[in-house]
């Protein structure tokens, strides 16, 4: 009886091992070679791109397009380059009136404040965002994107050559940009990057100039 039980257990174990290994696909030589060649190819490709031997087109193009599929072939995604519209400090007209009042003791403080802003504050308007460098020594950096702007209000300075711009964000925050130079062109550029709802709420330069 024990003899037949041992034989039955041996047959059962052999059957289980056969079922387990039949579902496992071993790596043959062809598969290993394919993985190795692909890894080496991607590594060499990335190194070449880092050295500048490959362009962005080569990085985003992962393979040849299927001619039979036409427009439904491989889709390439390439981010548009960010362009700078304006970058610089506040308008120098900001220091004119404080400079006239420097003869008084009270006027020294506004003059020093306005003069320091010329060195520490910098505005940057690009096709994607607005960057504001401010604070002591210009160490504070603030960035916001145009879709976050809900409304814009402004007031002209220096007879219209500069202006103060207040950006009301959709999360309830408020950002103020004082004495922005080339104000008309900068303001129109910012509005062109905002959505339709923001354009409808925001102040209009032509209507303001007519008043």
């Amino acid at each position: 009886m024990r003899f037949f039980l041992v034989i039955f257990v041996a047959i059962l174990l052999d059957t289980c091992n056969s079922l387990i290994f039949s579902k496992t696909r071993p790596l043959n030589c062809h598969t290993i070679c394919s993985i190795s060649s692909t890894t080496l190819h991607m590594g060499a490709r990335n190194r070449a791109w880092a050295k500048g031997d490959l362009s962005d087109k080569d990085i985003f193009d992962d393979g040849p397009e299927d001619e039979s599929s036409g427009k439904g072939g491989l889709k390439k995604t390439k981010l548009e380059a960010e362009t700078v519209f304006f970058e610089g400090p506040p308008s120098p007209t900001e220091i004119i009136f404080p400079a006239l009042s420097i003869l008084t003791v009270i006027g020294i403080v506004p003059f020093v404040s306005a003069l320091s802003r010329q060195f520490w504050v910098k505005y940057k308007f690009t096709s994607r965002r607005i960057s504001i460098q401010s604070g002591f020594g210009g160490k504070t950096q603030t960035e916001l994107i145009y879709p976050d702007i809900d409304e814009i209000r402004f007031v002209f300075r220096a007879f219209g050559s500069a202006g103060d711009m207040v950006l009301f964000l959709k999360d309830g925050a408020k950002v103020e940009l004082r004495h922005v130079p080339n104000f008309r062109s900068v303001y129109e550029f910012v509005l062109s990057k905002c959505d339709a709802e923001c354009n409808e709420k925001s102040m209009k330069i032509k209507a303001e100039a007519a008043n």
Side-chain angles (χ1 to χ4, degrees):
M1 184 66 181
R2 294 181 181 178
F3 176 76
F4 290 105
L5 183 60
V6 172
I7 294 177
F8 176 79
V9 173
I11 295 174
L12 183 61
L13 291 176
D14 184 70
T15 304
C16 293
N17 291 334
S18 300
L19 291 174
I20 292 173
F21 287 104
S22 63
K23 294 181 180 181
T24 305
R25 183 184 177 184
L27 290 176
N28 54 29
C29 180
H30 176 73
T31 306
I32 295 174
C33 292
S34 299
I35 295 174
S36 301
S37 60
T38 302
T39 305
L40 291 175
H41 173 70
M42 292 303 297
R45 194 177 186 188
N46 292 335
R47 288 193 298 271
W49 177 78
K51 294 191 320 183
D53 296 336
L54 289 178
S55 63
D56 290 340
K57 179 178 181 301
D58 298 320
I59 292 298
F60 287 102
D61 188 0
D62 291 332
E65 294 186 3
D66 187 3
E67 297 180 357
S68 60
S69 59
K71 294 183 179 180
L74 183 64
K75 184 178 180 180
K76 300 178 183 179
T77 303
K78 190 171 184 179
L79 194 62
E80 183 181 355
E82 184 175 15
T83 57
V84 178
F85 179 79
F86 172 81
E87 182 177 7
S91 173
T93 57
E94 182 182 13
I95 64 176
I96 293 179
F97 291 106
L100 295 176
S101 62
I102 197 174
L103 298 177
T104 65
V105 177
I106 301 177
I108 295 178
V109 176
F111 175 75
V112 173
S113 176
L115 187 63
S116 62
R117 280 173 46 82
Q118 292 295 312
F119 297 97
W120 294 347
V121 177
K122 181 181 292 185
Y123 301 132
K124 185 177 182 180
F125 299 86
T126 74
S127 57
R128 297 181 188 171
R129 73 197 79 193
I130 299 175
S131 301
I132 306 168
Q133 179 183 326
S134 60
F136 184 79
K139 296 180 180 180
T140 303
Q141 187 78 18
T142 304
E143 287 190 350
L144 57 97
I145 56 177
Y146 299 107
D148 289 343
I149 303 176
D150 183 61
E151 183 183 357
I152 309 176
R153 299 177 187 175
F154 69 88
V155 60
F156 284 115
R157 301 289 185 187
F159 306 103
S161 62
D164 294 351
M165 187 187 308
V166 182
L167 309 177
F168 295 87
L169 306 184
K170 295 180 179 179
D171 61 357
K174 183 174 64 175
V175 180
E176 182 178 356
L177 293 80
R178 296 172 52 192
H179 281 270
V180 178
N182 303 327
F183 184 76
R184 293 177 183 270
S185 59
V186 171
Y187 185 79
E188 291 175 356
F189 173 79
V190 173
L191 277 183
S192 67
K193 296 298 180 181
C194 297
D195 54 31
E197 184 179 357
C198 177
N199 276 266
E200 186 177 352
K201 292 181 179 180
S202 301
M203 298 174 64
K204 306 298 188 295
I205 283 187
K206 292 183 179 179
E208 201 61 26
N211 294 334

